[in-house]
Structures are given as structure tokens and as C-alpha cells.
Amino acid sequence: MSQTAQQRRQQQVDREIRLEAARRAAYGALIDASKQLSAAWWRVADQLRDATSTPEQWQESAAAAHAAWMRFSTTVASVTVAGPGPVAEAADSLRRAMSALDKAGMDWHKAARCEGTGLIEACDAHYRHAAKAKRVPGSEFQLAARRALNAED
């Protein structure tokens, strides 16, 4: 093998190593951001269920959930760029599920502000449904990430 061919091969190996590292970081960040977003909305839900909590507390925790959504949304974009296609598709599916959770939480928060109470059974049920519905896309993303990183047994 000529020196030029060896250099090209080494450059290709270096690119592959950098891509794998970037993907690993993006995938990990997305998993972390999805867990943080879920936890933020569970804090909102817990406060809304607590008859002693105040609208100010609801607002503070909803603002934290909004910030968590922004971090999550950014990490989805990073995964979409890092790829490959099946992982990007799984990330988008997770984004849609998390968006439904986010919307259910925002709708509940808005209804609680309007009604002056967080104890709204229909909103709680809708939120719980959205929380349950995100589990499968979360697992599917992790599976796609493992496959992309050749970490499957």
C-alpha cells in the first residue's frame, strides 16, 4: 500500500472515530434531555395534584419544564444531524411523543390557572396517557442508537 493510500485510510478511520464520538455524545444528550423533560413535567403534575400548592409554584415549575423542552428540542436536532437515518427517525418519533407530553402538561397548567385549582381529573388523565405513550418511542430510540453504535449483542 502506498503512503498516500495509507494516509487516506488513516483519514477515513479518523473521520469514523470522530463521527462515532459525535453520535455517542448526541445520543446520550438526547436520552438525558428526555429524562430531564419528563422529570420537569412530573414536578408540574405533582404540584398541580397538591391542593396546597399555589399558582406561583405552578408557574415556576412550568417555566422549568419549558426550559427543559428547549434543551430537548435542541438535542433532537443534534441527533438528526448526526444520524444515521434510522436513529434520526427514532429521535423524531420520540420528539413527537414528548411534544404530546409537553402539550398535555401545558394544557393542564393553563386550565389550572383558569379554574384556580390544579385538581382537574380530565387533565390529569390526559397527562398520564401522554406520559405512558412516550415510553415506547424512548425505548425505540435507545435500540436504534445501540444499533448505530454497533452495541447490540
Side-chain angles (χ1 to χ4, degrees):
M1 184 182 281
S2 72
Q3 186 174 2
T4 304
Q6 282 181 319
Q7 287 175 337
R8 276 186 273 164
R9 176 66 185 134
Q10 186 59 49
Q11 289 172 343
Q12 179 62 29
V13 168
D14 291 346
R15 275 193 296 274
E16 289 171 8
I17 290 170
R18 285 191 305 273
L19 178 58
E20 182 177 334
R23 284 177 172 170
R24 191 174 297 278
Y27 301 167
L30 181 55
I31 291 166
D32 181 62
S34 71
K35 302 295 184 192
Q36 294 298 320
L37 179 56
S38 290
W41 275 116
W42 276 111
R43 281 189 292 279
V44 175
D46 287 345
Q47 284 187 338
L48 290 168
R49 291 180 189 118
D50 181 354
T52 65
S53 66
T54 66
E56 291 78 21
Q57 290 170 316
W58 306 340
Q59 182 59 40
E60 184 178 315
S61 59
H66 178 71
W69 169 259
M70 297 304 294
R71 284 189 301 277
F72 172 78
S73 180
T74 299
T75 59
V76 169
S78 295
V79 168
T80 301
V81 169
V87 178
E89 291 167 13
D92 191 53
S93 178
L94 178 57
R95 181 198 55 77
R96 287 190 304 273
M98 296 301 285
S99 178
L101 176 70
D102 191 67
K103 183 172 180 350
M106 288 188 306
D107 289 349
W108 188 4
H109 176 246
K110 182 179 178 183
R113 285 192 342 249
C114 289
E115 294 187 24
T117 181
L119 301 171
I120 305 169
E121 198 63 36
C123 291
D124 191 354
H126 182 67
Y127 172 81
R128 287 179 189 270
H129 175 76
K132 185 176 179 182
K134 72 175 179 53
R135 291 180 190 154
V136 169
S139 295
E140 288 174 348
F141 171 75
Q142 290 178 32
L143 178 60
R146 283 194 311 271
R147 286 181 178 154
L149 296 171
N150 294 313
E152 272 299 288
D153 294 38

